[in-house]
Amino acid sequence: MELLYDPADRAVMCNPHAVFARLRAEDPVHWSPKLSSWVVTRHEDAARVLAEDVFSSDRLSPFYRRAQDADRSTLAEVMRYIGLWLVFRDPPEHTRLRRLLNTAVNPGVVASLRPSVVAIVDFLLDEIEPDQEFDFVADFAVQLPAMVIMDMMGVPRDMLRTIKQWSDDLVNFVGSPRTVEAKYERARTGVLAMAEFFGRLVAERRDAPRGDILTMLIQARDEQGTLSDDEVVASAMLLLFAGHETTTNLLGNALMALHANPDQQERLRREPAIVDTAVEEFLRFDGPVLSVSRAVAKSHDLGGRRLEEGSRIFVMIAAANRDPDVFAEPDRLDLGRMPNRHVTFGKGIHFCLGAPLARLEAGTALREILRRHRTIEVTRPIADLDWIDAMVMRGVHALPVRFGR
Ligand code: HEM
């Protein structure tokens, strides 16, 4: 049977692991005609592609150059800001931007947030009625990371719905979705609205500094004198966006894994002290990132295949994280797994800046959910859920759940 990876196939979306296992074994550097891209599935190759500089993070410029004229004019305004995100830049621009963002998001800042993360988790869980079905994604998993990052940035909490809408619009560009109508137009709408909002907020903070991330970014920008206003606005947009989409799906996927593995659920309830290794295992077992892409910057060979300069390559994070060469019994959820060399936060110079924050949020939330509730039940079969149809994200749009006391 021909080995094809069709990410738009609903069954594959729900469970891609059978096809990933075949790809790893039979065609680890796979040419996908559907994606017009290379697809890499082994851990070793994934780590190389993520970390080596023959693979460029600037995958937007080649895409933009190839776009149809009509799309290109819509995309010009999207590129003005998104093209400045450090995640899409190579050194030396990446180094400069990362230094700036690091002043605002670092382990010290994140440690100081613990009490407010605990308070937000309590606030949200207090609203959830035991024995009543609710949408875990909308009522909890979207709200927690969005509130945390909005508080950090000094964005008023009543903006949450608007922010979520902008961010959903933005996913239509950065998430590599396949089946969305007018996706570039929607991305443009979201980007322009966000840019206008942050432009105004930056001006306000310059007049009246506060203790929030935005003020830190402006001060770092003004002191170093090396960043444009657009770069400050773009970096704020990136933090807001990156700060919640992924963590939302980590929480949703973790809940599904707990539902499907009652023994591990009980183990974590009994031994809350293992929550940190548990979070690493949720990141590995069914993390929120399906793939990360790169552009081939210099023609060369990988896994016996010739990769030509300019071609696109998807690193299938979800496949690398189940590579049996690296993980014993990779398809088993083991909340005490150690070591756990998953690549869900990436690798190398682009390693996720927000990893300490995501870990803090997920650990706090999962420990408190299990402390409060004796049972976690996903009330619809996992195969019937509406999975996000995008290359970057892995998660569901809604997750009907019932907690029992
Ligand atoms: C479970 C949650 C998260 C996951 C799985 C995740 C995953 C990732 C991955 C895979 C990358 C590298 C992308 C690449 O190499 O192209 C990345 C980069 C990044 N993440 Fe996260 N992320 C998460 C949460 C967050 C949070 C909460 C924030 C912000 C507060 C954040 C901010 C960033 C930033 C700024 C970058 C760019 C770093 C760079 O290019 O140097 N992330 N993330």
Side-chain angles (χ1 to χ4, degrees):
M1 204 171 70
E2 197 190 355
L3 181 49
L4 267 187
Y5 169 50
D6 179 2
D9 180 324
R10 280 189 58 83
V12 170
M13 235 181 269
C14 175
N15 182 0
H17 296 294
V19 71
F20 285 165
R22 277 196 65 195
L23 284 169
R24 269 191 316 261
E26 296 170 32
D27 194 13
V29 182
H30 168 77
W31 174 254
S32 163
K34 268 191 179 293
L35 295 165
S36 301
S37 304
W38 294 100
V39 171
V40 168
T41 42
R42 281 191 185 157
H43 189 281
E44 188 187 342
D45 294 335
R48 274 191 62 184
V49 176
L50 289 171
E52 289 183 5
D53 62 5
V54 285
F55 301 98
S56 166
S57 281
D58 180 10
R59 56 271 205 192
L60 294 186
S61 304
F63 159 79
Y64 179 62
R65 278 195 298 272
R66 279 198 302 267
Q68 312 269 331
D69 283 349
D71 287 339
R72 206 167 353 179
S73 56
T74 309
L75 288 174
E77 285 169 297
V78 179
M79 286 292 291
R80 172 174 165 194
Y81 294 101
I82 308 300
L84 298 177
W85 285 8
L86 79 162
V87 69
F88 297 130
R89 308 292 292 270
D90 295 323
E93 291 83 8
H94 171 265
T95 320
R96 184 170 57 85
L97 289 166
R98 176 120 184 164
R99 200 175 302 133
L100 171 87
L101 259 75
N102 210 33
T103 59
V105 183
N106 57 52
V109 169
V110 170
S112 72
L113 291 172
R114 185 176 289 274
S116 60
V117 171
V118 169
I120 295 173
V121 165
D122 281 339
F123 167 76
L124 292 171
L125 290 180
D126 285 349
E127 295 293 303
I128 293 168
E129 292 284 335
D131 305 320
Q132 301 281 323
E133 185 183 288
F134 68 101
D135 177 4
F136 181 75
V137 170
D139 296 346
F140 187 84
V142 164
Q143 311 240 3
L144 167 64
M147 281 185 180
V148 171
I149 194 77
M150 286 166 70
D151 285 1
M152 284 173 79
M153 303 193 69
V155 173
R157 279 196 192 167
D158 61 8
M159 292 283 296
L160 198 141
R161 267 171 166 277
T162 315
I163 299 272
K164 177 68 186 143
Q165 181 58 53
W166 291 342
S167 157
D168 286 349
D169 288 341
L170 220 59
V171 170
N172 291 314
F173 184 65
V174 291
S176 303
R178 284 168 300 267
T179 50
V180 177
E181 294 268 316
K183 58 182 179 182
Y184 300 147
E185 192 49 51
R186 284 187 57 189
R188 178 174 167 273
T189 310
V191 164
L192 289 183
M194 250 179 164
E196 203 219 284
F197 173 74
F198 277 116
R200 233 179 318 116
L201 224 56
V202 165
E204 275 175 35
R205 292 295 185 280
R206 197 164 262 138
D207 288 344
R210 290 199 206 162
D212 56 29
I213 291 191
L214 213 54
T215 306
M216 287 186 218
L217 285 179
I218 295 164
Q219 283 170 352
R221 174 231 183 278
D222 290 348
E223 278 159 25
Q224 295 173 16
T226 52
L227 287 151
S228 67
D229 278 348
D230 274 4
E231 282 174 330
V232 174
V233 169
S235 298
M237 287 164 71
L238 167 61
L239 284 180
L240 191 70
F241 177 76
H244 73 279
E245 282 292 334
T246 37
T247 311
T248 296
N249 293 319
L250 170 61
L251 290 167
N253 297 358
L255 222 73
M256 283 187 263
L258 284 172
H259 164 82
N261 295 274
D263 62 318
Q264 293 299 304
Q265 188 186 135
E266 211 30 61
R267 179 178 181 191
L268 187 52
R269 200 174 271 111
R270 237 187 11 253
E271 300 174 60
I274 65 163
V275 74
D276 291 343
T277 56
V279 168
E280 297 311 303
E281 180 68 344
F282 290 123
L283 283 158
R284 181 198 73 85
F285 181 76
D286 201 5
V289 178
L290 180 64
S291 75
V292 164
S293 69
R294 292 286 188 268
V296 178
K298 212 158 77 190
S299 301
H300 68 288
D301 295 331
L302 181 73
R305 309 294 293 261
R306 183 76 185 159
L307 274 49
E308 296 297 341
E309 182 181 330
S311 50
R312 186 165 63 162
I313 180 160
F314 282 104
V315 177
M316 304 312 298
I317 300 286
N321 282 343
R322 298 233 189 161
D323 188 334
D325 285 347
V326 177
F327 304 99
E329 292 188 83
D331 294 325
R332 192 164 72 85
L333 180 76
D334 171 5
L335 297 186
R337 187 183 290 273
M338 233 173 358
N340 191 337
R341 290 170 48 216
H342 69 74
V343 281
T344 311
F345 287 124
K347 198 171 170 61
I349 60 169
H350 290 279
F351 185 84
C352 178
L353 200 68
L357 181 58
R359 286 172 165 141
L360 172 65
E361 290 174 8
T364 309
L366 293 170
R367 189 163 30 191
E368 189 57 19
I369 289 170
L370 291 175
R371 195 190 66 75
R372 287 180 183 223
H373 300 287
R374 291 301 312 159
T375 57
I376 295 172
E377 184 195 353
V378 177
T379 57
R380 207 164 305 151
I382 300 235
D384 294 350
L385 298 174
D386 187 12
W387 287 80
I388 298 170
D389 183 10
M391 284 307 289
V392 172
M393 245 66 77
R394 174 153 177 80
V396 291
H397 288 288
L399 185 62
V401 163
R402 193 161 33 224
F403 288 159
R405 262 201 229 282

